[in-house]
Structure formats: C-alpha cells, structure tokens
C-alpha cells in the first residue's frame, strides 16, 4: 500500500520517520547529511553512487551563504530564490519522497517547511553508447541503446526534433518500481492502439519486472505456449526506433534494458533490419527478398529433403544427384534431429566460452562435427551439408526469438514427415501457416497485417 503520511513542518519528525522507514544505519549507500541553512536545521537524504558530487558541492556551498532573513516562507519559494539548480521540485507526501529518493534524487528537509525539496542531480552508472553486437549495419550510425532510460530517450530525441513526439513516463512494479517510457508521435500513432497499450500498462499489477522488457511483454500479452512466434519486435538501434516512430508505430522503453519494444508488429517488421533503411530501393527489395527466401528455406529445406528420401520415385531426373548414395546407418530423421540438438549445443558453448578459447573450440567442433562424424558412419555427408546451411541461414535474420520459432516449426515438420510421410508433411505445412496467420498480437492484427475481428 502507498504511504499516505504527509511531510510536516518539523524536520526532526520528518528525519525520524525517514530513518524508521529506510535502513539508513544498516545500508552504507543510504546517506543522511545534516546541515544548517539560514539558521534552520536541514537534512539531506541521498543514495551514494547516484549523486553528482561536484554539482551537490556547489549547491551546498550556496546554502552556506543564505541568511535567516533570506529564508522564504515556503519550500516552493526557497526552491525559486535560494536553490541555484535547474531540476528542482517539491513534494508533500512521503510516498513521493521515497519514490524520488530510491530512484536516485536528493531529498532535502528544512525545518519550518511542510514540503520536501527534491533535487534531481543524479547520475546513473552506464556503459558507453556503442553499436549493438546483434543489430549491426553496413552503413549508418554506430550508436545503440544502453541500460539507462534517460540516455535512450535522449538518443531518440536527438533524431526526432518534433513537438509531436511524446514520451510518457510510467512506473510498474510495487517493489522494483521500474520506469517505463511510452513513446509515440501524437499526430501519427493510431489512437485506438495507443489507448489499448496505455490501458494495459496502467492495469499491470506485478511485484517487479525482473526480466525487464520480457517481463513487461508477458504482462502486456499472455501468449499461448503452443505458438512460439514472437508478439513484439525488439531493436537496440535508436535509428530503427526513430524510423518506426515516424511510421506511426509505438515504442516502449524499459529502464535497465538496452532495447526498445516496437508495436504493432507483423512478420515483415520482424524480419526487417537496419540495412533496409540505408540502401536504395532496389537494393532494399533484393535484401528483403533474399532474407525472406533464406528464411523460407530454413524451415522447409530439411523436411522436403527427408520427404524425397522417403519417396525416391518422386525425384525428377535432374535432381537425382541429391539422393544419398552411401550406407545409411542411422535413420535420416534421427540424424537431422541429433544435428539440430548439436547445433544448439555448439551455440551455447560458444556463448559461454571465454573469447581466448573461442578459436580452438571452433576448430575442434569443425573437425569432429565435420569430417570425423561422416567417416565414422554416424552422419551422411548430404545431411551434414543441409544442416550446415540451416545453421548458417538462421543468422541472416536479426530476430533471435523468430529464429527459434522457425526451428520449432522445422522440428515439427521433420517429425510429422517421418511418421506420416506426405500426409504428415502437408499437415505440418498447414500448422505452420495457421501459426503465422492466427498469431494474434497486441494490436489485434495477425502477422500478415490482416485485421482480426
């Protein structure tokens, strides 16, 4: 429950209550600094590590020159006349005081004032703004979102200098109280979609957003477990987020997360990447077509290969060379499934391998998984070739979650084809198409941007 107690004119009562609520004596980073301003007792509360020491030193130095006669009759008057800083506010209830203090601002209580003066001279620890590892582009800017929401909003503001750009700040989570920014162009965004998103954000009642944007995504839209296709598009590039805002989309930023959530989403939006914005139209069309074709092949290449190997008489004469000539010691479907698992194992190993050992790991994996596995009779060379294509082709599209959704569809097709031959393959194709067409997103549209009633 929020704290409804009101700040009193007695600094001793206010300080006693703050010490009662906050573990000031037990937490080294919660600091209380007592001071005399204009012959009145005053007390600062701040979090060490969030405060700009140089700025606060100058502010406190200016307080030492304030005399008793200079003291105004209210906290608002003191903030206007005696506080030489830009970001200053006054609050009257302790709930707002605690929210501001725990978010990094400095809170000042002065005897005789029935309000707390909030000085926003905070600074957050943040890494340098660099190009994201995942969303790289051949041309364009080399900056990317970081874990500080104020920096991320500034990166977007730098690109869109329009008065219609709105960044509405919300707070979600009773314990974490995570800052969430809802960004949109007021003259371009769909009003119905905007009202729907705002209503859902305000209706979220959760203790914390422990996984940042993923937790928020799950709270916004409860997905069906059997449909793995992503409901949202994420990007770590501010130029991509700015382009989507100018197209009338809505962007959600979450503090502590170096990415932006973009709504509404279609499958064409999901497979887009930054290079699509930086090249001429003909090049864009070619890149999108190539990416779409390769994405299609990652799903259907190995199931179609398995289907033809089960029905060799279906192979046209011109494609007879794809038939396996060697001895098949292990059924093809088991070879494909084992390689699917092995590829994920190599990916996880590379993710958790120290950088100085990544090259030896790649060499060992290439030798063992490549030449020796074929010579030992575990796998056929054709199977290795097609699975190698699938493994590499997964990286042609930027969305990691979509890659695994396509992988699950491929596994489903493989198993149905192995069990029921052509009927299973046809049923799997229907399931894949239905999973895409009926994947309802937060905007009420399917992946094909067809309005669902």
């Amino acid at each position: 429950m929020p704290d409804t107690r009101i700040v009193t004119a007695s600094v001793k009562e206010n300080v006693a209550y703050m010490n009662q609520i906050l573990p000031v004596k037990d937490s080294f980073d919660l600091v209380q600094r007592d001071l005399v301003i204009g012959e009145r007792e005053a007390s600062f509360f701040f979090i060490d590590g969030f405060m700009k020491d140089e700025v606060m030193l100058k502010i406190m130095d200016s307080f030492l020159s304030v005399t008793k006669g200079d003291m105004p009759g209210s906290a608002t008057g003191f903030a206007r006349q005696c506080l030489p800083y830009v970001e200053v506010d006054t609050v009257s209830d302790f709930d707002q005081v605690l929210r501001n203090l725990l978010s990094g601002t400095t809170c000042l209580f002065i005897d005789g004032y029935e309000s707390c003066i909030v000085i926003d001279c905070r600074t957050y620890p943040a890494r340098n703004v660099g190009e994201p590892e995942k969303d790289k582009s051949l041309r364009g800017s080399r900056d990317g979102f970081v874990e500080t929401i104020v920096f991320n909003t500034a990166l977007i503001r730098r690109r869109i200098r329009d008065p219609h750009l709105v960044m509405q700040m919300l707070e979600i989570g009773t314990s974490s109280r995570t800052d969430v920014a809802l960004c949109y162009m007021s003259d371009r965004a769909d009003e119905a979609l905007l009202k729907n998103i705002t209503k859902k954000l305000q209706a979220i009642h959760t203790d914390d957003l422990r996984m940042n944007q993923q937790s928020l995504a799950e709270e916004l839209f409860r997905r069906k477990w059997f449909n793995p296709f992503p409901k949202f598009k994420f990007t770590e590039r501010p130029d991509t987020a700015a382009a989507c805002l100018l197209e009338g989309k809505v962007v959600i930023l979450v503090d502590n997360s170096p990415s932006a959530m973009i709504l509404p989403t279609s499958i064409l939006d999901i497979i887009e990447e930054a290079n699509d914005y930086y090249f001429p139209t003909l090049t864009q069309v070619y890149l999108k077509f190539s990416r779409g074709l390769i994405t299609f092949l990652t799903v259907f290449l190995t199931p179609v290969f398995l289907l033809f190997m089960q029905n060799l008489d279906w192979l046209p004469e011109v494609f007879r060379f794809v038939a396996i000539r060697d001895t098949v010691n292990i059924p093809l479907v088991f070879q494909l499934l084992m390689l699917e698992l092995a590829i994920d194992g190599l990916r996880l190993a590379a993710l958790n391998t120290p950088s100085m050992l990544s090259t030896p790991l790649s060499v060992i994996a290439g030798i063992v998984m490549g030449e020796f596995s074929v010579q030992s009779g575990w796998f056929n060379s054709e199977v290795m070739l097609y699975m190698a294509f699938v493994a590499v082709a997964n990286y042609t599209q930027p969305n990691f979650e979509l890659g695994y959704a396509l992988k699950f569809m491929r596994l489903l097709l493989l198993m149905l084809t192995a069990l029921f031959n052509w009927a299973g393959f046809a049923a799997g194709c229907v399931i894949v198409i239905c999973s895409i067409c009926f994947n309802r997103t937060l905007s009420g549209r399917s992946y094909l941007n067809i309005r669902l009633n």
Side-chain angles (χ1 to χ4, degrees):
M1 293 293 293
D3 194 338
T4 57
R5 180 160 174 168
I6 304 299
V7 177
T8 67
S10 173
V11 68
K12 292 183 178 180
E13 292 182 6
N14 295 331
V15 170
Y17 184 73
M18 291 290 288
N19 279 275
Q20 177 185 345
I21 297 297
L22 297 173
V24 177
K25 295 182 180 180
D26 297 330
S27 299
F28 77 94
D29 58 339
L30 279 173
V31 181
Q32 175 191 350
R33 174 69 163 86
D34 296 326
L35 197 68
V36 176
I37 302 175
E39 300 183 13
R40 296 190 188 183
E41 293 185 9
S43 187
F44 286 92
F45 286 88
F46 58 89
I47 297 178
D48 190 18
F50 282 165
M51 187 183 65
K52 298 177 183 177
D53 295 338
E54 298 82 3
V55 174
M56 202 63 210
L57 180 62
K58 293 181 180 179
I59 292 175
M60 295 180 71
D61 185 58
S62 68
F63 288 160
L64 298 177
S65 62
V66 177
T67 63
K68 183 178 181 180
D70 295 334
M71 295 295 289
S74 65
T76 303
F78 180 88
R80 291 178 178 176
Q81 300 176 28
C82 306
L83 218 168
Y85 196 67
V86 178
E87 298 178 77
V88 180
D89 196 9
T90 58
V91 294
S92 300
D93 62 281
F94 275 103
D95 179 56
Q96 292 296 324
V97 173
L98 294 173
R99 285 171 183 261
N100 281 279
L101 175 63
L102 295 176
S103 67
T105 60
T106 300
C107 296
L108 171 61
F109 296 96
I110 301 178
D111 195 39
Y113 293 157
E114 296 181 346
S115 295
C116 174
I117 301 173
V118 178
I119 308 170
D120 192 355
C121 60
R122 58 187 163 180
T123 180
Y124 289 125
R127 60 183 171 89
N128 294 328
V129 177
E131 186 177 19
E133 288 293 328
K134 182 65 175 169
D135 284 345
K136 289 186 177 181
S137 66
L138 299 176
R139 296 170 59 185
S141 59
R142 294 290 186 265
D143 56 353
F145 289 130
V146 294
E147 285 77 11
T148 307
I149 192 171
V150 178
F151 289 5
N152 294 340
T153 55
L155 288 171
I156 295 178
R157 284 282 184 189
R158 185 181 179 186
R159 289 168 167 79
I160 305 178
R161 303 176 183 180
D162 192 303
H164 294 101
L165 177 59
V166 179
M167 295 189 176
Q168 181 181 353
M169 188 67 75
L170 303 170
E171 192 177 83
I172 298 177
T174 54
S175 293
S176 63
R177 293 181 174 179
T178 306
D179 291 327
V180 176
L182 181 64
C183 313
Y184 59 92
M185 300 291 292
S186 59
D187 60 334
R188 306 187 187 193
D190 183 11
E191 293 185 5
L193 173 64
L194 191 58
K195 290 180 180 179
N196 185 23
I197 296 175
T198 305
K199 182 179 178 181
K200 286 183 176 292
L201 287 173
Q202 293 174 346
I204 293 177
H205 298 289
T206 184
D207 184 64
D208 60 85
L209 298 180
R210 63 193 68 185
M211 291 292 109
N212 301 325
Q213 280 186 331
Q214 184 59 34
S215 298
L216 180 64
E218 296 295 337
E219 292 290 339
L220 280 175
F221 196 98
R222 298 287 182 178
R223 71 170 70 202
K224 297 177 179 178
W225 65 269
F226 52 81
N227 194 329
F229 285 96
K231 309 291 185 181
F232 308 94
K233 177 182 178 179
F234 296 95
T235 182
E236 295 186 21
R237 298 186 61 90
D239 50 358
T240 301
C244 291
L245 284 171
L246 294 173
E247 292 173 359
K249 299 183 184 296
V250 177
V251 172
I252 299 178
L253 301 172
V254 180
D255 197 22
N256 300 313
S257 177
S259 61
M261 182 191 301
I262 299 173
L263 295 168
T265 300
S266 69
I267 194 169
L268 298 179
D269 297 322
I270 292 286
I271 64 176
E272 270 188 342
E273 63 176 15
N275 287 318
D276 296 338
Y277 292 95
Y278 284 110
F279 289 104
T281 304
L282 184 60
T283 308
Q284 289 181 27
V285 172
Y286 171 74
L287 289 176
K288 289 183 179 180
F289 174 78
S290 301
R291 199 180 308 116
L293 178 61
I294 293 173
T295 301
F296 177 83
L297 290 177
T298 58
V299 179
F300 292 100
L301 179 64
T302 53
V304 168
F305 169 72
L306 178 62
L307 179 65
F308 277 116
M309 291 305 99
Q310 294 180 168
N311 303 273
L312 288 174
D313 54 321
W314 292 4
L315 267 177
E317 191 64 32
V318 69
F319 290 116
R320 286 287 178 181
F321 66 91
V322 303
I324 295 179
R325 305 296 182 184
D326 302 330
T327 303
V328 179
N329 298 316
I330 298 176
L332 293 180
V333 64
F334 291 115
Q335 293 188 38
L336 293 169
L337 293 178
M338 284 191 295
L339 285 174
E340 291 278 4
L341 184 62
I343 289 172
D344 278 332
L346 290 174
R347 181 182 297 179
L348 293 174
L351 184 65
N352 295 291
T353 301
S355 57
M356 70 285 295
L357 299 178
S358 58
T359 301
L361 176 66
S362 301
V363 173
I364 294 173
I367 294 174
V368 174
M369 292 293 294
E371 184 177 359
F372 291 163
S373 59
V374 174
Q375 292 181 358
S376 63
W378 279 90
F379 301 103
N380 293 92
S381 57
E382 292 84 356
V383 175
M384 294 289 294
L385 172 64
Y386 299 138
M387 283 306 304
F389 169 80
V390 170
V392 175
N394 277 332
Y395 293 101
T396 59
Q397 55 88 21
N399 190 283
F400 191 78
E401 191 176 358
L402 179 62
Y404 268 100
L406 298 175
K407 180 186 182 71
F408 296 146
M409 295 295 106
R410 184 170 63 250
L411 292 175
L412 177 66
L413 278 169
L414 284 172
M415 289 185 289
L416 289 177
T417 303
L419 292 174
F420 305 106
N421 206 343
W422 66 267
F425 179 81
C429 292
V430 172
I431 293 175
V432 172
I433 295 173
C434 291
S435 298
I436 295 176
C437 294
F438 296 99
N439 186 30
R440 185 186 292 270
T441 62
L442 187 66
S443 60
R445 296 184 180 183
S446 75
Y447 262 18
L448 302 179
N449 262 344
I450 301 173
R451 176 67 67 178
L452 297 175
N453 297 321

